[in-house]
Structures are given as structure tokens and as C-alpha cells.
Amino acid sequence: HPHSTRAFTSLGQLRYLSCIQHVDGVVGNSSSGLAEVPSFKIGTINIGDRQRGRIKTDSVIDCEPTRQSIGEALKKLYSTDFQRTLKTVINPYGTGGASEAIVKILEDISLSDILKKGFYDLEFE
């Protein structure tokens, strides 16, 4: 099937996240390809080592910043096996809602006995 390609320097967060559901994959070296894109069950081609050390899921294809390596990554992105794995990808960064969950816990927890040691005022001359 024919592919059309578009490159953007920046879309801003809202436009970017709105576009993700309409693309076959994301190519670049942004942390978004590791953190947000997996939630959309879409592949990421991560170029170079800028994101080295970050948690990555099976939807991320690492490659070198060379024409050959990027070409091989694109072939993998469109392969039947890789497309099949995308259906079961779970975002290692969670599904969102962390701040709401934290607020709920803080609202429900008693903080009356949390200090284990007392404090004393010292007088200095």
C-alpha cells in the first residue's frame, strides 16, 4: 500500500498527540516515542542513543543514525510480525491518571502519626 510521509519540526503537544492516532509510526529521537506513542499501539523508530537508558517497550525499534539502519527499521516497522506485536504492547510508563490516584491516597490517609522522632527547640546565645 502507498505511504505518504510528512516531517514536522514541532506540532505542539495537542496537535502532536491528536496526529498520533493517524500515523503508521513515529520516527525520531524524542522521549515521546517511548512514553506516549506506545499507548496508541503504534511503532516508534528511535534514532541514535539520545534515549539510551530509558525504559522501552516492544513497540520501539532502535536504530543507528544512518540511511541503511533507518531503512531497515522502516522495513521492520511495516513487517507483519512487528505489526502483530503492537496489538499486545503495554505502555511501561502506565496509562495515565497518576496524579489523580496520588491525590485520592493523600485525601484518604491519616497523617496524624507520621512523625517517628520529636523535635526540640535549642536555645543559642
Side-chain angles (χ1 to χ4, degrees):
H1 60 284
H3 306 292
S4 71
T5 304
R6 300 284 187 271
F8 298 95
T9 302
S10 178
L11 291 168
Q13 187 177 32
L14 184 58
R15 280 192 200 101
Y16 172 72
L17 292 173
S18 297
C19 284
I20 290 176
Q21 63 187 326
H22 302 290
V23 301
D24 295 332
V26 175
V27 181
N29 65 3
S30 169
S31 61
S32 173
L34 283 60
E36 285 96 17
V37 176
S39 293
F40 292 86
K41 309 288 188 198
I42 291 172
T44 295
I45 296 177
N46 178 51
I47 302 173
D49 61 4
R50 183 169 179 248
Q51 303 304 327
R52 181 178 29 204
R54 289 190 184 243
I55 297 170
K56 296 176 192 160
T57 189
D58 291 339
S59 64
V60 178
I61 302 166
D62 289 318
C63 71
E64 297 299 316
T66 65
R67 180 183 296 258
Q68 179 180 348
S69 187
I70 294 168
E72 290 169 6
L74 283 166
K75 285 179 189 168
K76 180 175 180 178
L77 176 76
Y78 285 106
S79 72
T80 304
D81 286 344
F82 184 77
Q83 289 297 313
R84 194 176 300 125
T85 66
L86 290 176
K87 294 175 183 169
T88 59
V89 162
I90 296 172
N91 191 327
Y93 292 93
T95 57
S99 57
E100 291 85 353
I102 291 167
V103 167
K104 177 76 174 125
I105 289 169
L106 290 175
E107 285 175 344
D108 294 345
I109 195 167
S110 170
L111 302 176
S112 61
D113 278 335
I114 64 168
L115 289 179
K116 296 216 183 272
K117 85 184 189 186
F119 293 91
Y120 303 95
D121 286 331
L122 300 176
E123 293 184 25
F124 294 98
E125 292 182 25

